[in-house]
């Protein structure tokens, strides 16, 4: 099917309006955008919609509207690609007026549009037309019919023939039958560089002859799984009175939290307008939070693999591959699901049912004290609200979990699972990979997540202080040598605000309001506790370092600009570098007492282990934001005590432990 095969819808932009300026585009709005562009731009049958998303109004426009001002213009951003000649357009559409606001033609010098699924599907036919491909496979004892072709983003390496056209690079994996997972059988030492516009191989890298690993990795094969573990008893989570949250469209309230849930095909799950109800006041904390970019750089420098670096949001639009979540498997308990609706490559709305999951979890002790002087013995249980989604990008599966806690803490956790990207492993060993099965390697790599945190702690006037623990030497005032303190350094401009975590001093970053204080005269604020993990390990002179400056530090702070959405820039595919945060910071704007955005990079450096094969147990990476002077005192003193019945607890033990009558004694809170 092509665009010209579709019947234009009858929905008008005015009829497709959304209740809030930041609400996601509706299916009706997506249809209206497609129909408008087909009519206004006379789109050819070969044109595809690479991206359709909400062009969010300026923050000040939204705040003005909330205060009673005019409704901001409703706009959509659309990226169009003509498969016939690679012509690329970046279009802005007004849904308010039903008009095309602007059209920009891209020449590819600053990157290409995201990769289409349809382009991925082309590569098998393209390589099959080149005899060099068949000859290279034959040298390795396989035929084209025995392999699957894995298309991957090309990066940018200055090859003249790749300038201004759309490139993919391709590996082959042998597949021994329809149910065989091909990742166990890499056909290594071979890579094809493909011009998908000209539909041809521009370079064939035939580097080394390595044996194709034979042992299968079919983790879903009962024979490989072994006898089932039968000692696990059912775990049932119930809330007889129902969940504690309330949902009105995309607006959520839970405990003292208020926020808006969103979804974008590039970024996936978005949290907007996180506020805390404190007495009679709704106090803002974060205006917008999402995955800005996700980089997976590989550390194998061989001739056929040196280019392996993937930007899963900017190049692949990983939100498109969101999983439809299943109750009892992906999510447990009293669940509220949200569907994810976006445009497919023909511009038609498509919906992933149950794409986002929300539920409550018990989280152990919230606070507790048994006092020796007063006899007071109090304990309260904690719980958290979990908002999550999972996406599958090729071999890896990624879950992103936002946790909101009763005490105002915010956490974001990435969960990594799926299948290692494999290579052949030589008998003599190889320092850039780990052998995970006989003859099968898994190259060293990193997963570097960049989160864009548009902060709004108690308002727009925010700043960041870097706080380090400081040892105090023995001397006057510290004669015993036990004293230690901390230093506080204000990050004044964007040039100052490129920072690395440092576990040796417990480094943390305090986001403070420069105009508001608590009852003690301290600035209200939140503190970002970063993960202690390596930043980008590639050499600073490398292509990937130029393309991913965001990954070279744990934190950047910039002044808010609604056009600055993505850490690696708008057009990441084949971008030569110097974009994104490199450009955003060039003006060295003030970030002291300003409307600021934090860009936080974190994630694991993965030296694979045999236990990661054939499917990887979940690995975890996270960051935490905690209130620091935001409240006047502990904000959860008012959480009521709960009974054992109320928490779903049940005590088991010996007759002595339970008492003669077999009943449990004591107070469970």
């Amino acid at each position: 099917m092509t665009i010209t095969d579709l019947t234009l819808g009858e929905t008008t932009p005015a009829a497709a309006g959304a209740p809030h300026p930041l609400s996601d585009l509706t299916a009706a709005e997506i249809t209206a955008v497609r129909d408008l562009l087909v009519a206004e731009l006379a789109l050819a049958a070969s044109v595809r919609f690479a991206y359709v998303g909400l062009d969010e109004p300026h923050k000040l426009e939204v705040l003005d509207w909330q205060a009673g001002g005019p409704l901001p213009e409703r706009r959509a951003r659309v990226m169009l690609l003509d498969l016939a000649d690679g012509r690329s357009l970046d279009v802005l559409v007004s849904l308010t007026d039903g008009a095309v606001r602007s059209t920009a033609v891209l020449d590819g010098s600053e990157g290409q549009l995201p990769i289409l699924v349809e382009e991925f599907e082309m590569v098998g036919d393209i390589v099959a037309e080149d005899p060099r491909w068949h000859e290279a496979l034959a040298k390795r004892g396989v035929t084209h019919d025995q392999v699957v072709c894995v298309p991957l983003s090309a990066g940018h390496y200055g090859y003249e023939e790749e300038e201004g056209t759309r490139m993919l690079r391709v590996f082959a994996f042998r597949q021994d039958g329809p149910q065989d997972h091909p990742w166990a059988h890499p056909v290594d030492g071979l890579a094809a560089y493909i011009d998908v516009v000209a539909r041809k191989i521009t370079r064939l890298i035939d580097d080394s002859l390595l044996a194709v690993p034979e042992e299968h990795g079919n983790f879903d094969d009962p024979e490989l799984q072994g006898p089932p573990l039968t000692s696990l008893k059912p775990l049932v989570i119930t809330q007889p009175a129902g969940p504690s949250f309330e949902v009105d469209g995309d607006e959520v309230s839970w405990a003292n939290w208020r926020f808006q849930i969103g979804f974008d095909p590039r970024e996936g799950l978005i949290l907007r307008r996180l506020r805390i109800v404190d007495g009679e006041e709704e106090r803002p904390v974060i205006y917008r939070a999402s995955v800005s970019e996700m980089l997976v750089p590989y550390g194998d420098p061989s001739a056929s693999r040196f280019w392996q670096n993937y930007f899963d949001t900017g190049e692949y639009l990983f939100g498109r591959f969101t999983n439809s979540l299943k109750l009892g498997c992906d999510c447990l308990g009293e669940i509220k699901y949200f569907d994810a609706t976006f445009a497919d490559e023909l511009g038609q709305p498509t919906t992933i049912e149950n794409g986002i999951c929300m539920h409550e979890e018990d989280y152990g002790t919230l606070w507790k004290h048994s006092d020796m002087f007063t006899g007071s013995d109090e304990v309260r249980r904690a719980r958290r609200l979990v908002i999550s989604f999972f996406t599958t990008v090729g071999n890896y599966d990624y879950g992103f979990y936002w946790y909101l806690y009763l005490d105002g803490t915010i956490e974001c956790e990435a969960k990594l699972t799926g299948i290692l990207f494999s290579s052949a492993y030589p008998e003599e060993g190889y320092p850039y990979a780990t052998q995970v099965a006989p003859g099968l390697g898994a190259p060293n790599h990193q997963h570097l997540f960049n989160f864009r945190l548009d902060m709004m702690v108690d308002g727009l006037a925010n700043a960041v202080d870097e706080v380090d623990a400081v040892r105090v030497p023995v001397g006057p005032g510290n004669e015993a040598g036990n004293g230690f303190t901390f230093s506080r350094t204000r990050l004044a401009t964007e040039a100052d605000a490129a920072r690395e975590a440092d576990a040796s001093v417990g480094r943390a970053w305090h986001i403070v309001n420069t105009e508001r204080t608590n009852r003690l005269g301290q600035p209200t604020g939140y503190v970002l506790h970063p993960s202690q993990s390596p930043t980008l390990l590639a050499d600073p002179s490398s292509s990937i370092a130029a393309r991913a400056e965001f990954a070279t530090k744990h934190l950047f702070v910039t002044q808010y600009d609604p056009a600055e959405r993505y850490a690696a820039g708008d057009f990441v595919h084949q971008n030569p570098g110097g974009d994104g945060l490199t450009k955003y910071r060039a003006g060295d704007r003030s970030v002291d007492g300003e409307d600021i955005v934090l860009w936080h990079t974190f994630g694991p450096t993965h030296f694979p282990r045999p236990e990661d094969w054939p499917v990887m147990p979940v690995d975890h990476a996270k960051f935490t934001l905690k209130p620091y002077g935001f409240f006047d005192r502990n904000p959860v003193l008012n959480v009521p005590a709960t009974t054992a019945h109320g928490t779903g607890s049940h005590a088991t033990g010996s007759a002595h432990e339970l008492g003669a009558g077999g009943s449990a004694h004591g107070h469970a809170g």
Side-chain angles (χ1 to χ4, degrees):
M1 180 180 286
T2 67
I3 288 175
T4 54
D5 295 324
L6 299 173
T7 302
L8 298 186
E10 297 181 358
T11 304
T12 64
H20 191 282
L22 298 178
S23 291
D24 297 338
L25 295 178
T26 65
E29 287 178 314
I30 291 169
T31 299
V33 167
R34 183 203 72 203
D35 292 353
L36 176 66
L37 293 179
V38 169
E40 292 291 319
L41 302 184
L43 299 182
S46 53
V47 170
R48 299 292 181 269
F49 287 72
Y51 171 82
V52 180
L54 177 68
D55 184 64
E56 297 180 16
H58 196 288
K59 187 189 301 184
L60 294 180
E61 294 181 57
V62 176
L63 298 179
D64 182 55
W65 170 77
Q66 290 178 174
L71 182 69
E73 183 181 29
R74 184 95 168 145
R75 297 185 301 267
R77 188 179 188 185
V78 183
M79 299 178 188
L80 298 171
L81 173 66
D82 193 329
L83 290 173
D85 58 11
R87 187 170 186 264
S88 301
L89 301 179
D90 185 14
V91 183
L92 196 62
V93 173
S94 170
L95 282 156
T96 302
D97 297 335
V100 176
R101 282 277 179 261
S102 65
T103 302
V105 179
L106 308 178
D107 64 6
S109 62
E110 296 183 346
Q112 295 279 346
L113 295 186
I115 304 165
L116 301 180
V117 173
E118 191 168 344
E119 290 179 301
F120 285 147
E121 295 170 349
M122 293 179 185
V123 299
D125 292 337
I126 294 174
V127 296
E129 295 296 319
D130 194 312
R132 294 175 297 169
W133 176 256
H134 294 278
E135 293 168 5
L137 290 177
K139 287 197 299 185
R140 292 161 174 82
V142 295
T143 67
H144 179 71
D145 293 338
Q146 292 178 292
V147 303
V148 295
C149 295
V150 177
L152 300 162
S153 54
H156 187 278
Y157 293 93
Y159 300 138
E160 185 176 350
E161 70 273 15
E162 297 186 356
E163 298 300 324
T165 192
R166 294 178 63 79
M167 298 295 300
L168 291 173
R169 310 202 196 282
V170 176
F171 287 138
F173 290 78
R174 195 185 72 206
Q175 186 175 28
D176 298 340
Q179 302 305 312
D180 182 52
H181 292 279
W183 307 105
H185 315 295
V187 183
D188 212 341
L190 175 64
Y193 297 1
I194 293 179
D195 182 333
V196 293
V197 177
R199 297 179 65 88
K200 67 178 183 179
I201 295 177
T202 60
R203 297 190 186 200
L204 188 76
I205 309 303
D206 189 353
D207 174 48
S208 55
L209 291 176
L210 296 165
V212 178
E214 291 296 330
E215 184 177 280
H216 77 75
N218 299 329
F219 57 86
D220 45 3
D221 182 344
E223 184 177 341
L224 184 63
Q225 291 175 344
L229 182 64
T230 58
S231 59
L232 299 178
K233 306 303 181 185
L235 179 63
V236 180
I237 298 174
T238 62
Q239 292 180 275
S244 305
F245 52 75
E246 295 182 357
V247 178
D248 181 10
D250 57 6
E251 297 276 355
V252 178
S253 60
W254 175 77
N256 289 334
W257 284 103
R258 306 290 183 268
F259 62 96
Q260 186 177 10
I261 283 182
F263 180 86
D264 179 82
R266 180 167 180 163
E267 300 163 277
L269 173 63
I270 302 170
L271 296 188
R272 295 184 172 104
R273 302 169 46 244
L274 277 84
R275 298 102 66 203
I276 291 178
V277 177
D278 186 14
E280 300 298 316
E281 182 183 10
E282 273 195 10
R283 300 173 64 187
V285 179
I286 302 178
Y287 181 75
R288 189 184 194 277
S290 68
V291 184
S292 164
E293 191 52 80
M294 189 176 86
L295 173 66
V296 188
Y298 280 77
D300 185 342
S302 65
S304 59
R305 290 179 174 267
F306 70 89
W307 48 267
Q308 276 191 272
N309 301 288
Y310 312 132
F311 294 77
D312 283 337
T313 63
E315 293 175 334
Y316 294 94
L317 301 190
F318 81 164
R320 298 181 296 175
F321 309 116
T322 293
N323 297 178
S324 181
L325 302 174
K326 297 177 182 178
L327 183 63
C329 297
D330 293 297
C331 305
L332 197 62
E334 296 288 334
I335 304 301
K336 166 64 180 175
Y337 289 109
F338 298 85
D339 295 341
T341 298
F342 56 94
D344 66 15
E345 291 177 4
L346 295 177
Q348 299 181 101
T350 185
T351 297
I352 298 173
E353 294 183 354
N354 300 354
I356 297 170
C357 167
M358 183 173 72
H359 66 283
E360 292 177 277
E361 289 181 347
D362 179 86
Y363 201 65
T365 302
L366 176 62
W367 58 264
K368 176 181 172 67
H369 182 60
S370 300
D371 195 86
M372 69 176 74
F373 300 113
T374 67
S376 171
D377 185 8
E378 295 283 335
V379 60
R380 300 294 187 271
R381 288 203 69 79
R383 66 175 67 184
R384 64 186 183 183
L385 186 68
V386 184
I387 313 102
S388 64
F389 86 110
F390 248 96
T391 182
T392 301
V393 190
N395 55 302
Y396 263 109
D397 299 75
Y398 298 94
F400 294 91
Y401 286 66
W402 286 97
Y403 304 122
L404 303 181
Y405 293 83
L406 295 173
D407 67 351
T409 296
I410 303 167
E411 282 185 341
C412 184
E413 181 180 39
K415 299 184 179 183
L416 302 81
T417 180
I419 302 178
L420 297 168
F421 200 103
S422 57
S423 60
Y425 193 83
E427 291 184 4
E428 65 272 18
Y430 192 57
Y432 303 106
T434 299
Q435 184 172 213
V436 295
L440 185 71
N444 308 334
H445 59 282
Q446 295 181 278
H447 300 266
L448 298 172
F449 309 102
N450 181 270
F451 274 74
R452 181 182 182 272
L453 305 172
D454 186 347
M455 301 303 297
M456 196 177 168
V457 178
D458 262 336
L460 297 176
N462 285 187
V464 176
D465 291 339
E466 184 170 277
V467 177
D468 291 350
V470 176
R471 289 183 171 87
V472 178
V474 171
N478 187 36
E479 286 78 4
N482 65 304
F484 61 91
T485 184
F486 63 89
S487 65
R488 182 182 296 270
T489 304
R490 175 64 51 87
L491 307 182
T493 71
E494 291 172 329
D496 301 328
R499 310 299 300 163
E500 293 190 44
D502 186 347
S504 69
V505 294
R507 179 166 294 165
W509 293 293
H510 291 227
I511 305 102
V512 299
N513 187 291
T514 57
E515 297 177 351
R516 180 164 175 169
T517 57
N518 58 26
R519 70 186 182 121
L520 303 175
Q522 304 160 342
T524 60
Y526 262 70
V527 56
L528 171 61
H529 293 285
S531 300
Q532 303 294 331
S533 56
T535 54
L536 182 67
L537 292 172
D539 190 87
S541 66
S542 65
S543 170
I544 189 59
R547 300 178 67 215
E549 186 188 14
F550 71 86
T552 65
K553 304 288 183 183
H554 292 106
L555 180 74
F556 290 92
V557 185
T558 62
Q559 197 178 113
Y560 168 80
D561 183 330
E564 297 174 356
R565 281 261 296 268
Y566 309 116
D570 287 11
F571 308 111
V572 182
H573 181 37
Q574 296 175 245
N575 191 301
D579 210 334
L581 275 169
T582 307
K583 283 186 176 179
Y584 305 162
R585 301 172 55 244
D588 194 22
R589 296 165 294 188
S590 169
V591 290
D592 185 359
E594 306 284 355
D595 186 2
I596 60 174
V597 176
L598 274 63
W599 309 77
H600 177 41
T601 295
F602 66 101
T605 294
H606 196 178
F607 299 108
R609 57 197 180 119
E611 292 88 345
D612 292 330
W613 182 260
V615 65
M616 191 174 90
V618 167
D619 199 358
H620 303 262
K622 72 174 186 177
F623 66 86
T624 304
L625 284 159
K626 295 183 75 71
Y628 196 102
F630 188 82
F631 300 106
D632 289 337
R633 58 183 61 81
N634 182 345
V636 288
L637 295 175
N638 63 342
V639 173
T642 52
T643 64
H645 175 74
T647 60
S649 301
H650 178 70
T652 60
S654 66
H656 174 74
E657 290 170 324
L658 295 175
S663 61
H665 293 277
H667 174 259

